[in-house]
Amino acid sequence: KNQVEQSPQSLIILEGKNCTLQCNYTVSPFSNLRWYKQDTGRGPVSLTIMTFSENTKSNGRYTATLDADTKQSSLHITASQLSDSASYICVVRELSNFGNEKLTFGTGTRLTIIP
Amino acid sequence: EAQVTQNPRYLITVTGKKLTVTCSQNMNHEYMSWYRQDPGLGLRQIYYSMNVEVTDKGDVPEGYKVSRKEKRNFPLILESPSPNQTSLYFCASTFRQGAYEQYFGPGTRLTVT
């Protein structure tokens, strides 16, 4: 069964500090991995999409890494801001030439930034 | 502005009373999905549509129906809602399958008593 596991479940850090969120997956065959940011009560918003050949991808203060061999990904947030407080969801797409866009969602890491 | 809209945003209803949650996108996307999100669980796909008149079941389709008569609209229908369908629902769209960004609606919080 395809699974996506994220750690930690929750994290509290001081404003201005850096943090790294982890994602391990068993989805196979692999197509791409996505990180989303979800504010409380809102829809998820895409941060990055990484394909098999991409090891690192940045989006402003967010940097995602992917190791397809070990099936691990991380999301690093630099110089955190209060607005970074949200849930961060890792999503892995299974490779398919047709049919459903088969996505497996992690349960998310709840990040809280305190002043 | 590119967006996915859902209505209503909040809904409280009683068991057995049919309801429809609307979803619309203005990006001419082919692929649309419905998800539900429950505490402690990742988003789970209910139904999806690859294009007009092409729909199929996701992981948790029981108790739900959908239709795709126009490219921009993908309504979710609960014929006879039950309390276990109390959840946060999201509609999403993407250009087509692959490494394309998926856009989510703002969510509909449904409570069935």
Side-chain angles (χ1 to χ4, degrees):
Chain A
K1 180 182 176 183
N2 288 334
Q3 288 186 311
V4 174
E5 295 185 352
Q6 295 186 241
S7 61
Q9 283 190 333
S10 61
L11 182 61
I12 302 173
I13 63 171
L14 289 173
E15 184 180 12
K17 297 295 186 182
N18 303 336
C19 68
T20 300
L21 314 180
Q22 301 291 341
C23 173
N24 295 337
Y25 61 92
T26 62
V27 176
S28 182
F30 174 86
S31 176
N32 59 67
L33 183 145
R34 307 143 185 240
W35 282 95
Y36 287 88
K37 177 185 179 186
Q38 184 178 21
D39 293 316
T40 301
R42 308 282 294 272
V45 175
S46 178
L47 295 175
T48 66
I49 300 176
M50 301 181 72
T51 58
F52 185 88
S53 60
E54 296 175 300
N55 300 120
T56 304
K57 203 164 191 178
S58 292
N59 178 0
R61 294 180 295 102
Y62 300 101
T63 299
T65 66
L66 173 65
D67 185 336
D69 291 331
T70 62
K71 299 187 176 180
Q72 297 180 322
S73 175
S74 66
L75 181 69
H76 185 75
I77 304 174
T78 304
S80 60
Q81 300 176 358
L82 297 178
S83 60
D84 291 332
S85 293
S87 287
Y88 291 84
I89 302 173
C90 176
V91 186
V92 180
R93 179 176 184 261
E94 184 178 336
L95 182 65
S96 173
N97 292 326
F98 56 91
N100 193 11
E101 173 93 338
K102 184 58 178 173
L103 302 175
T104 302
F105 290 77
T107 55
T109 292
R110 178 70 204 174
L111 177 64
T112 302
I113 311 298
I114 57 176
Chain B
E1 179 190 358
Q3 60 180 352
V4 178
T5 58
Q6 295 178 226
N7 282 292
R9 293 291 314 281
Y10 303 90
L11 180 60
I12 301 174
T13 190
V14 296
T15 299
K17 187 176 181 181
K18 180 180 179 180
L19 65 92
T20 300
V21 184
T22 64
C23 172
S24 182
Q25 50 93 4
N26 63 359
M27 296 167 279
N28 201 36
H29 285 170
E30 290 183 358
Y31 192 96
M32 298 184 74
S33 296
W34 274 103
Y35 296 91
R36 61 179 289 173
Q37 186 175 36
D38 300 291
L41 300 176
L43 275 82
R44 294 178 292 169
Q45 191 183 55
I46 302 170
Y47 268 93
Y48 67 94
S49 170
M50 290 191 288
N51 216 321
V52 176
E53 302 290 3
V54 182
T55 64
D56 207 345
K57 298 176 181 178
D59 297 320
V60 288
E62 294 77 22
Y64 305 95
K65 287 176 57 178
V66 294
S67 68
R68 186 95 180 271
K69 299 189 187 312
E70 304 167 283
K71 200 170 188 178
R72 62 184 295 125
N73 296 324
F74 190 44
L76 179 69
I77 303 158
L78 284 72
E79 294 272 3
S80 183
S82 62
N84 64 13
Q85 293 179 297
T86 292
S87 188
L88 180 58
Y89 292 86
F90 290 101
C91 180
S93 75
T94 187
F95 175 59
R96 62 169 58 120
Q97 291 190 87
Y100 298 99
E101 184 171 342
Q102 188 171 35
Y103 294 83
F104 284 83
T108 295
R109 186 167 291 282
L110 172 65
T111 302
V112 183
T113 61

